[in-house]
Amino acid sequence: MTDIIIRKAGKAGHITLNRPKALNALTWDMCLAIESALDEWRNDADVALILIDGAGDRAFCSGGDIAEMYATAGRGDYDYGQRFWRDEYRLNAKIYNYTKPIVTFLQGFTMGGGVGVGCHGSHRIVCESSRIAMPECSIGLVPDVGGSLILAQAPGRCGEFLGLTGDRMDAGDAIYTGFADNYIPETDWDSLKSELIATGNTDAIVAYPAPDSRLADWQSEIDAAFAGEKLGDIYRAMPADPGPAVSHATKLMERNAPLAMSVATEIIHRVRNGQRIENALDQEFRYTYRCAAQGDFVEGIRAAIIDRDRNPQWKQKSWANVPASEVLRMTQPLGKDALQWEETS
């Protein structure tokens, strides 16, 4: 069985992520195949729109397939992960800048690398099972694949809340924060896909009213607690008698890598001041390029998916006082190793 199904159907270019047993986790080869299809269809007059979906009902895409990154980094080979991220980020920019509509159907889990494929399209559809998250700080990474741009543009300080906690959004939260556009029950999806393929017209997308958002209800509490310039400022702003948002956030943040959370805070703020997908990916790549050799990525993967002991030994022990020098070390420009943007459309 092929990991990805790519075909032209009617007036659509149709891409299906096809690893349902692996929750459609994205491999390097899948990234390259999606990019190749988008390049081929960009000037194809027979293709009016792109449709991207995932096989099975548990996930659109649960993230990147990081087992090989762990294996290679554990041997001191950091080139594999750096090349993977370089190619993946080029794809993320291409999706964001694509000149034809890209319609994505985000059932179940859409996390990490799945956000990079599913949440930069022009028409992002969620349903009652959708759970969208950027949980990278839990494995020593930072929200990447251009996700820092969506976080930076989210209402108030929701971006900091979501990026530092890795909290899972339902459909209502995803629409409220800008990770999705339209709520349509999954029972309507097959007929909608058929109409999109037949007509090539996104007018076929008729959304239902968006569900209520828990994050909207928490907005004022989130804004008060997550407005700090640095992670340590956020730590010190946590109230002694927290409400539901802060209580939920601190439980998640205590598990995450302090260095990653500190860098994530810095990246979201930088991207908020320069809201371009290329800037977001450049800032993210500064960290991911270094994360295996200098950060907590290898230890985070060991604890989460290799040994599964859920007991990572982070380089920084507390998120109260991550040294500014460590953040600078992970976020300084990469020079000749930086991402190149000769072509992103």
Side-chain angles (χ1 to χ4, degrees), residues 176-227:
Y176 177 71
T177 57
F179 280 79
D181 302 298
N182 302 290
Y183 175 77
I184 299 176
E186 197 167 358
T187 53
D188 292 358
W189 282 15
D190 285 346
S191 60
L192 174 56
K193 291 177 186 179
S194 295
E195 190 168 356
L196 289 168
I197 289 168
T199 66
N201 191 340
T202 57
D203 289 345
I205 301 171
V206 179
Y208 288 65
D212 292 339
S213 166
R214 167 196 51 140
L215 295 179
D217 293 339
W218 288 355
Q219 186 73 68
S220 60
E221 188 186 352
I222 288 171
D223 291 349
F226 284 84

Side-chain angles (χ1 to χ4, degrees), residues 224-253:
F226 284 84
E229 184 64 25
K230 306 295 182 183
L231 181 65
D233 300 327
I234 293 172
Y235 178 88
R236 288 182 286 275
M238 292 293 169
D241 184 21
V246 170
S247 295
H248 182 62
T250 52
K251 289 177 184 177
L252 297 172
M253 293 170 70

Side-chain angles (χ1 to χ4, degrees), residues 37-44 94 98-100 343 345:
L38 294 178
D39 288 343
E40 180 180 343
W41 292 334
R42 184 190 296 120
N43 298 314
D44 187 336
K94 193 161 291 189
Y98 208 65
T99 55
K100 295 181 179 181
E343 178 198 351
S345 62

Side-chain angles (χ1 to χ4, degrees), residues 246-325:
V246 170
S247 295
H248 182 62
T250 52
K251 289 177 184 177
L252 297 172
M253 293 170 70
E254 291 293 347
R255 307 171 188 170
N256 293 346
L259 177 60
M261 290 193 293
S262 192
V263 172
T265 305
E266 178 72 15
I267 289 174
I268 292 168
H269 292 174
R270 290 184 184 185
V271 173
R272 189 172 285 134
N273 291 326
Q275 296 192 19
R276 298 173 59 249
I277 188 68
E278 292 83 3
N279 178 46
L281 291 162
D282 177 71
Q283 297 293 334
E284 296 162 6
F285 190 61
R286 295 180 188 188
Y287 182 89
T288 54
Y289 184 90
R290 300 176 168 109
C291 67
Q294 301 177 37
D296 288 301
F297 173 67
V298 174
E299 173 63 9
I301 296 305
R302 180 207 63 75
I305 70 168
I306 305 300
D307 297 339
R308 297 177 183 260
D309 60 19
R310 305 290 176 182
N311 186 33
Q313 302 302 303
W314 304 126
K315 293 181 183 295
Q316 300 295 324
K317 302 306 180 185
S318 169
W319 53 284
N321 53 2
V322 176
S325 60

